[in-house]
Amino acid sequence: QVQLVESGGGLVQAGGSLRLSCAASGRTSSNADMGWFRQAPGKERKFVAGIRWSDGSTYYADSVKGRFTVSGDNAKNMVYLQMNNLKPEDTAVYYCNAGQVVRGHYYGLDYWGKGTLVTVSS
């Protein structure tokens, strides 16, 4: 019921920036909060950032706080991830996700895009 399409990944040098976009569609997309996860080579998929549409509150993994900013426009069914001061350890496939924010925590539902690859060189 939710379709997600990511874009904006690419190759960037350490210290550089990228802006990822996610377009959401489907019957339940307007009711779901949204977030970003990433999966590095040989690692499990982990939470990166999320946004609660009702008030615009945002949530971040400790590893990206101060460097990444999640934003969006629920009316347009778009969510973005501005990534600054990128580090080699940020290298991963980044996935858009539909979920819910409950008691200050983002819980992902089983709705995913196909991902966009971000590679950060030293």
Side-chain angles (χ1 to χ4, degrees):
Q1 294 181 329
V2 178
Q3 294 79 47
L4 306 169
V5 180
E6 305 94 337
S7 62
L11 175 64
V12 64
Q13 292 181 316
S17 299
L18 285 173
R19 183 177 176 86
L20 307 183
S21 299
C22 174
S25 62
R27 185 169 59 188
T28 63
S29 62
S30 63
N31 296 323
D33 298 319
M34 297 182 69
W36 293 91
F37 287 69
R38 67 187 182 186
Q39 187 167 19
K43 303 293 184 180
E44 295 182 342
R45 191 174 300 184
K46 294 184 177 180
F47 171 76
V48 175
I51 184 167
R52 185 170 66 183
W53 293 120
S54 61
D55 61 0
S57 297
T58 56
Y59 307 87
Y60 300 94
D62 289 341
S63 60
V64 306
K65 287 181 179 178
R67 300 189 297 120
F68 291 11
T69 302
V70 63
S71 62
D73 187 338
N74 191 39
K76 298 179 179 179
N77 295 320
M78 294 290 294
V79 65
Y80 309 96
L81 185 67
Q82 178 67 45
M83 305 185 294
N84 298 325
N85 192 25
L86 284 161
K87 303 176 180 180
E89 52 263 43
D90 295 318
T91 295
V93 176
Y94 284 71
Y95 297 90
C96 187
N97 172 257
Q100 295 291 336
V101 175
V102 180
R103 296 177 60 83
H105 296 276
Y106 183 90
Y107 295 86
L109 303 177
D110 195 20
Y111 298 102
W112 304 94
K114 294 184 178 180
T116 185
L117 177 63
V118 173
T119 302
V120 184
S121 63
S122 301

